[in-house]
Amino acid sequence: FMANINAIDVLKLRASYGLTGNDDIGNYTAHKYYSSETFLGYQGTVLGAIWNPELGPEKTTKFNIGLDMAILKERITISADVYSNNTTNLFDFLPTTSYSGFEGYYGNYGSLTTKGFDISMNNRIVNSTSFKWDLGLVYSKFTTTITELYNNSRYTSFFGANILTEVGSPIGQFYGYKTAGVYASSEQAEQVGLLNHMNNEQLLPFAAGDVIFVDHNPDGIIDEKDMQVIGNPTPDFMGEVYTRMTLKNIALDASFAFSYGAEVFNYMRYSLENMNTTNNQTQAVINRWRYQGQETEIPRAVYGDPMGNSRFSDRWIEDGSYARLKNITLSYYIPFNT
Protein backbone atom coordinates (compact mmCIF):
# COMPACT_ATOMS: atom_id res chain seq x y z
CA PHE A 1 0.00 0.00 0.00
CA MET A 2 2.72 2.50 0.96
CA ALA A 3 4.68 1.68 -2.18
CA ASN A 4 1.90 3.23 -4.29
CA ILE A 5 2.06 6.59 -2.45
CA ASN A 6 4.70 8.43 -4.45
CA ALA A 7 4.54 11.63 -2.38
CA ILE A 8 5.89 9.88 0.76
CA ASP A 9 9.60 9.11 0.59
CA VAL A 10 10.23 8.07 4.20
CA LEU A 11 7.82 6.93 6.91
CA LYS A 12 9.29 5.40 10.04
CA LEU A 13 7.73 4.69 13.41
CA ARG A 14 10.04 4.53 16.43
CA ALA A 15 9.62 3.40 20.01
CA SER A 16 12.12 3.21 22.85
CA TYR A 17 12.25 2.32 26.52
CA GLY A 18 15.11 2.97 28.89
CA LEU A 19 16.21 3.14 32.50
CA THR A 20 18.82 5.63 33.69
CA GLY A 21 20.15 6.70 37.08
CA ASN A 22 21.59 9.72 38.83
CA ASP A 23 24.21 9.14 41.52
CA ASP A 24 25.40 12.75 41.88
CA ILE A 25 24.94 12.87 45.64
CA GLY A 26 28.25 14.42 46.62
CA ASN A 27 31.15 13.04 48.63
CA TYR A 28 30.56 11.19 51.92
CA THR A 29 26.78 11.75 51.79
CA ALA A 30 26.09 8.09 52.49
CA HIS A 31 29.07 7.51 54.81
CA LYS A 32 29.78 7.97 58.48
CA TYR A 33 32.45 10.57 59.25
CA TYR A 34 33.67 12.68 62.15
CA SER A 35 34.69 16.34 62.33
CA SER A 36 36.79 18.28 64.82
CA GLU A 37 35.06 20.47 67.40
CA THR A 38 36.15 22.84 70.18
CA PHE A 39 33.98 23.27 73.26
CA LEU A 40 34.92 25.20 76.43
CA GLY A 41 38.57 24.97 75.53
CA TYR A 42 38.50 21.22 74.92
CA GLN A 43 39.08 19.73 71.49
CA GLY A 44 37.66 16.51 70.17
CA THR A 45 35.73 14.87 67.38
CA VAL A 46 32.00 14.59 66.90
CA LEU A 47 29.80 12.78 64.44
CA GLY A 48 29.63 14.91 61.28
CA ALA A 49 26.32 13.72 59.88
CA ILE A 50 23.69 11.00 60.02
CA TRP A 51 24.80 8.39 57.52
CA ASN A 52 22.48 6.36 55.37
CA PRO A 53 24.13 3.22 53.98
CA GLU A 54 20.97 2.45 51.98
CA LEU A 55 21.16 5.69 49.99
CA GLY A 56 20.98 4.82 46.31
CA PRO A 57 20.71 6.48 42.91
CA GLU A 58 17.65 8.14 41.51
CA LYS A 59 15.99 6.05 38.82
CA THR A 60 14.30 7.40 35.71
CA THR A 61 12.17 5.24 33.43
CA LYS A 62 11.84 6.71 29.93
CA PHE A 63 9.29 5.79 27.27
CA ASN A 64 9.26 7.44 23.85
CA ILE A 65 7.23 7.06 20.64
CA GLY A 66 8.44 8.85 17.52
CA LEU A 67 7.57 9.32 13.86
CA ASP A 68 9.91 10.32 11.01
CA MET A 69 8.52 11.31 7.63
CA ALA A 70 9.83 12.83 4.42
CA ILE A 71 7.68 13.91 1.47
CA LEU A 72 8.00 15.53 -1.97
CA LYS A 73 11.39 13.98 -2.73
CA GLU A 74 12.53 14.80 0.80
CA ARG A 75 11.93 18.51 0.31
CA ILE A 76 9.94 18.42 3.56
CA THR A 77 11.05 16.31 6.54
CA ILE A 78 9.11 15.97 9.79
CA SER A 79 10.09 14.32 13.06
CA ALA A 80 7.78 14.05 16.07
CA ASP A 81 8.32 12.50 19.51
CA VAL A 82 6.02 11.95 22.48
CA TYR A 83 7.66 10.92 25.73
CA SER A 84 6.90 10.15 29.36
CA ASN A 85 9.58 9.96 32.06
CA ASN A 86 9.02 8.72 35.59
CA THR A 87 11.70 9.46 38.21
CA THR A 88 11.62 7.61 41.53
CA ASN A 89 13.87 7.46 44.62
CA LEU A 90 14.51 11.20 44.47
CA PHE A 91 17.36 12.54 46.57
CA ASP A 92 15.88 14.42 49.48
CA PHE A 93 16.98 15.90 52.78
CA LEU A 94 14.62 14.27 55.25
CA PRO A 95 14.02 15.80 58.70
CA THR A 96 14.70 13.95 61.91
CA THR A 97 14.02 14.51 65.61
CA SER A 98 15.91 17.22 67.47
CA TYR A 99 17.25 14.58 69.86
CA SER A 100 19.64 13.41 67.15
CA GLY A 101 21.47 16.73 67.13
CA PHE A 102 21.03 17.05 63.35
CA GLU A 103 18.48 18.77 61.16
CA GLY A 104 18.08 15.72 58.96
CA TYR A 105 19.71 13.19 56.67
CA TYR A 106 19.80 12.35 52.98
CA GLY A 107 17.53 9.61 51.71
CA ASN A 108 15.60 8.36 48.70
CA TYR A 109 12.02 9.50 48.91
CA GLY A 110 9.76 11.04 46.29
CA SER A 111 8.93 10.77 42.61
CA LEU A 112 7.95 12.96 39.69
CA THR A 113 6.77 12.55 36.11
CA THR A 114 7.73 14.53 33.02
CA LYS A 115 5.55 14.37 29.93
CA GLY A 116 5.91 16.24 26.67
CA PHE A 117 6.40 16.20 22.94
CA ASP A 118 8.89 17.57 20.39
CA ILE A 119 8.21 18.38 16.76
CA SER A 120 10.78 19.43 14.18
CA MET A 121 10.20 20.25 10.53
CA ASN A 122 12.61 21.23 7.75
CA ASN A 123 11.57 22.56 4.35
CA ARG A 124 13.84 22.96 1.31
CA ILE A 125 12.14 26.05 -0.13
CA VAL A 126 14.59 26.62 -3.01
CA ASN A 127 16.64 23.79 -4.46
CA SER A 128 18.37 25.11 -7.56
CA THR A 129 21.88 24.19 -8.66
CA SER A 130 23.57 27.36 -7.36
CA PHE A 131 21.18 28.48 -4.62
CA LYS A 132 19.51 26.51 -1.85
CA TRP A 133 17.35 27.71 1.01
CA ASP A 134 16.26 25.64 4.01
CA LEU A 135 13.78 26.78 6.64
CA GLY A 136 13.10 24.76 9.79
CA LEU A 137 11.12 24.82 13.00
CA VAL A 138 11.57 23.06 16.35
CA TYR A 139 8.67 23.12 18.82
CA SER A 140 8.68 21.61 22.32
CA LYS A 141 6.26 21.40 25.21
CA PHE A 142 6.56 19.57 28.52
CA THR A 143 5.07 19.46 32.00
CA THR A 144 6.37 18.10 35.30
CA THR A 145 4.26 16.80 38.18
CA ILE A 146 5.36 15.81 41.67
CA THR A 147 3.72 12.47 42.45
CA GLU A 148 5.29 11.66 45.84
CA LEU A 149 7.02 13.80 48.46
CA TYR A 150 7.78 13.68 52.16
CA ASN A 151 4.92 15.45 53.99
CA ASN A 152 3.35 16.09 50.54
CA SER A 153 4.55 19.71 50.29
CA ARG A 154 7.27 22.13 51.32
CA TYR A 155 8.74 25.42 50.27
CA THR A 156 12.36 26.49 50.32
CA SER A 157 13.99 29.92 50.10
CA PHE A 158 16.51 30.74 47.39
CA PHE A 159 17.92 34.26 46.95
CA GLY A 160 14.84 35.70 48.61
CA ALA A 161 12.39 33.67 46.52
CA ASN A 162 10.14 30.96 47.96
CA ILE A 163 9.95 27.80 45.86
CA LEU A 164 7.00 25.44 46.38
CA THR A 165 7.31 21.70 45.88
CA GLU A 166 3.95 19.97 46.25
CA VAL A 167 2.36 16.68 45.27
CA GLY A 168 0.09 17.08 42.25
CA SER A 169 1.72 20.34 41.12
CA PRO A 170 4.53 21.31 38.74
CA ILE A 171 8.03 21.45 40.13
CA GLY A 172 9.59 24.75 41.20
CA GLN A 173 6.57 27.06 41.48
CA PHE A 174 7.00 30.52 42.98
CA TYR A 175 5.18 30.81 46.30
CA GLY A 176 4.46 34.20 47.85
CA TYR A 177 1.96 37.02 48.21
CA LYS A 178 -0.31 38.49 45.57
CA THR A 179 -0.64 42.26 45.47
CA ALA A 180 -3.25 44.74 44.27
CA GLY A 181 -1.32 48.00 44.09
CA VAL A 182 -0.46 50.53 46.81
CA TYR A 183 -2.74 52.29 49.29
CA ALA A 184 -3.11 55.82 47.86
CA SER A 185 -4.48 57.38 51.05
CA SER A 186 -5.04 56.75 54.74
CA GLU A 187 -8.79 56.59 54.11
CA GLN A 188 -8.31 53.75 51.63
CA ALA A 189 -6.10 51.82 54.05
CA GLU A 190 -8.60 52.27 56.89
CA GLN A 191 -11.49 51.21 54.67
CA VAL A 192 -9.75 47.96 53.71
CA GLY A 193 -8.76 47.44 57.34
CA LEU A 194 -6.05 44.80 56.90
CA LEU A 195 -3.52 44.13 59.67
CA ASN A 196 0.09 43.08 59.25
CA HIS A 197 1.48 40.27 61.41
CA MET A 198 4.77 41.78 62.63
CA ASN A 199 7.87 39.80 63.55
CA ASN A 200 7.28 40.60 67.24
CA GLU A 201 3.77 39.04 66.96
CA GLN A 202 2.05 42.46 67.04
CA LEU A 203 -0.74 43.31 64.60
CA LEU A 204 -0.38 46.74 63.01
CA PRO A 205 -2.70 48.27 60.39
CA PHE A 206 -1.39 49.02 56.94
CA ALA A 207 -1.11 52.73 56.14
CA ALA A 208 -1.01 54.98 53.10
CA GLY A 209 1.91 54.06 50.86
CA ASP A 210 1.99 50.40 51.88
CA VAL A 211 1.49 47.56 49.40
CA ILE A 212 -2.04 46.15 49.18
CA PHE A 213 -1.54 42.44 49.84
CA VAL A 214 -4.35 40.06 48.93
CA ASP A 215 -5.94 38.44 52.00
CA HIS A 216 -5.98 34.94 50.50
CA ASN A 217 -6.95 33.45 53.87
CA PRO A 218 -9.80 35.90 54.62
CA ASP A 219 -9.16 36.67 58.28
CA GLY A 220 -8.16 40.34 57.98
CA ILE A 221 -4.52 39.55 58.79
CA ILE A 222 -1.67 39.36 56.29
CA ASP A 223 0.63 36.51 57.31
CA GLU A 224 2.12 33.30 55.89
CA LYS A 225 -1.37 31.80 55.57
CA ASP A 226 -1.98 34.23 52.69
CA MET A 227 0.90 32.91 50.60
CA GLN A 228 -0.08 31.23 47.35
CA VAL A 229 1.33 30.24 43.97
CA ILE A 230 2.34 33.41 42.12
CA GLY A 231 4.27 32.02 39.17
CA ASN A 232 5.48 28.99 37.25
CA PRO A 233 8.98 29.02 35.70
CA THR A 234 8.09 26.26 33.21
CA PRO A 235 7.19 27.71 29.78
CA ASP A 236 3.97 26.78 28.00
CA PHE A 237 6.06 26.00 24.92
CA MET A 238 9.47 26.81 23.45
CA GLY A 239 11.38 26.22 20.28
CA GLU A 240 13.59 27.53 17.54
CA VAL A 241 13.29 28.75 13.96
CA TYR A 242 16.38 28.26 11.82
CA THR A 243 17.32 28.95 8.24
CA ARG A 244 20.23 28.17 5.95
CA MET A 245 20.95 29.75 2.58
CA THR A 246 23.80 28.69 0.32
CA LEU A 247 24.94 30.46 -2.83
CA LYS A 248 27.69 28.44 -4.46
CA ASN A 249 30.44 28.43 -1.78
CA ILE A 250 28.83 31.02 0.51
CA ALA A 251 26.52 29.91 3.34
CA LEU A 252 24.42 31.97 5.74
CA ASP A 253 23.03 30.28 8.87
CA ALA A 254 20.73 31.90 11.43
CA SER A 255 18.53 30.68 14.25
CA PHE A 256 15.89 32.38 16.39
CA ALA A 257 14.93 30.92 19.78
CA PHE A 258 11.60 31.56 21.46
CA SER A 259 9.87 30.69 24.73
CA TYR A 260 6.38 31.57 25.92
CA GLY A 261 4.54 31.42 29.22
CA ALA A 262 7.36 31.10 31.77
CA GLU A 263 7.51 33.46 34.74
CA VAL A 264 10.81 34.58 36.23
CA PHE A 265 11.92 36.15 39.50
CA ASN A 266 13.76 39.43 38.86
CA TYR A 267 16.31 39.26 41.66
CA MET A 268 18.14 42.34 40.39
CA ARG A 269 15.03 44.49 40.66
CA TYR A 270 14.17 42.89 44.01
CA SER A 271 17.58 43.98 45.32
CA LEU A 272 17.57 47.49 43.82
CA GLU A 273 13.96 48.56 44.43
CA ASN A 274 13.19 47.30 47.96
CA MET A 275 14.13 50.64 49.61
CA ASN A 276 14.69 49.01 53.01
CA THR A 277 18.38 49.95 53.33
CA THR A 278 20.68 52.82 52.38
CA ASN A 279 21.95 50.95 49.32
CA ASN A 280 21.69 52.50 45.87
CA GLN A 281 18.37 51.97 44.10
CA THR A 282 17.16 52.18 40.51
CA GLN A 283 15.43 55.26 39.11
CA ALA A 284 12.10 53.41 39.40
CA VAL A 285 11.93 54.35 43.10
CA ILE A 286 11.57 58.02 42.11
CA ASN A 287 7.90 57.14 41.56
CA ARG A 288 7.50 55.80 45.11
CA TRP A 289 4.51 56.90 47.22
CA ARG A 290 5.19 60.27 48.93
CA TYR A 291 1.89 62.11 49.54
CA GLN A 292 -1.78 61.46 50.25
CA GLY A 293 -3.80 60.55 47.17
CA GLN A 294 -0.80 59.62 45.03
CA GLU A 295 -1.52 56.64 42.80
CA THR A 296 1.59 54.57 42.11
CA GLU A 297 2.81 50.98 42.03
CA ILE A 298 5.91 51.72 44.15
CA PRO A 299 5.35 51.76 47.95
CA ARG A 300 6.75 54.31 50.39
CA ALA A 301 10.37 54.19 51.48
CA VAL A 302 10.88 53.19 55.13
CA TYR A 303 14.23 52.11 56.49
CA GLY A 304 14.10 48.47 57.57
CA ASP A 305 10.75 47.97 55.83
CA PRO A 306 8.79 47.16 59.05
CA MET A 307 5.53 46.49 57.14
CA GLY A 308 7.19 44.00 54.79
CA ASN A 309 6.39 45.84 51.57
CA SER A 310 9.40 44.24 49.90
CA ARG A 311 8.51 40.67 50.90
CA PHE A 312 8.49 38.05 48.15
CA SER A 313 5.38 38.76 46.09
CA ASP A 314 4.20 39.02 42.50
CA ARG A 315 5.78 42.51 42.43
CA TRP A 316 9.03 40.73 41.56
CA ILE A 317 7.59 38.12 39.18
CA GLU A 318 7.80 38.98 35.48
CA ASP A 319 6.85 37.43 32.17
CA GLY A 320 9.84 35.44 30.94
CA SER A 321 8.62 35.03 27.35
CA TYR A 322 11.13 35.97 24.69
CA ALA A 323 12.07 35.69 21.03
CA ARG A 324 15.66 36.46 20.17
CA LEU A 325 18.33 35.90 17.57
CA LYS A 326 20.36 32.99 18.89
CA ASN A 327 23.21 32.98 16.38
CA ILE A 328 24.10 34.00 12.85
CA THR A 329 27.03 32.67 10.83
CA LEU A 330 28.38 33.64 7.41
CA SER A 331 30.72 31.04 5.94
CA TYR A 332 32.79 30.58 2.81
CA TYR A 333 33.93 27.15 1.74
CA ILE A 334 37.30 27.19 -0.02
CA PRO A 335 37.34 24.62 -2.81
CA PHE A 336 40.47 22.50 -3.18
CA ASN A 337 41.42 19.39 -5.09
CA THR A 338 42.49 16.24 -3.29
Side-chain angles (χ1 to χ4, degrees), residues 154-165 173 175:
R154 75 182 64 167
Y155 72 90
T156 54
S157 295
F158 186 75
F159 281 93
N162 296 321
I163 310 300
L164 175 67
T165 307
Q173 295 183 110
Y175 189 66

Side-chain angles (χ1 to χ4, degrees), residues 269-277 279 281 285 299-302 305 309-310 315-316:
R269 193 163 63 82
Y270 168 78
S271 302
L272 298 178
E273 294 182 14
N274 54 42
M275 299 180 295
N276 58 8
T277 66
N279 294 337
Q281 305 285 278
V285 304
R300 57 180 175 147
V302 181
D305 190 23
N309 290 320
S310 63
R315 285 183 60 203
W316 317 115

Side-chain angles (χ1 to χ4, degrees), residues 61-75:
T61 303
K62 301 182 178 183
F63 179 70
N64 179 89
I65 296 179
L67 176 68
D68 298 323
M69 183 172 63
I71 60 176
L72 302 179
K73 296 183 180 180
E74 300 190 19
R75 291 282 294 270

Side-chain angles (χ1 to χ4, degrees), residues 158-163 172-179 228-234 261-270 273 310-321:
F158 186 75
F159 281 93
N162 296 321
I163 310 300
Q173 295 183 110
F174 296 121
Y175 189 66
Y177 297 85
K178 286 191 176 182
T179 63
Q228 55 184 303
V229 175
I230 57 175
N232 186 353
T234 303
E263 279 123 355
V264 296
F265 168 47
N266 192 330
Y267 176 75
M268 184 67 68
R269 193 163 63 82
Y270 168 78
E273 294 182 14
S310 63
R311 72 188 74 184
F312 185 63
S313 67
D314 56 8
R315 285 183 60 203
W316 317 115
I317 303 299
E318 300 177 356
D319 184 5
S321 302

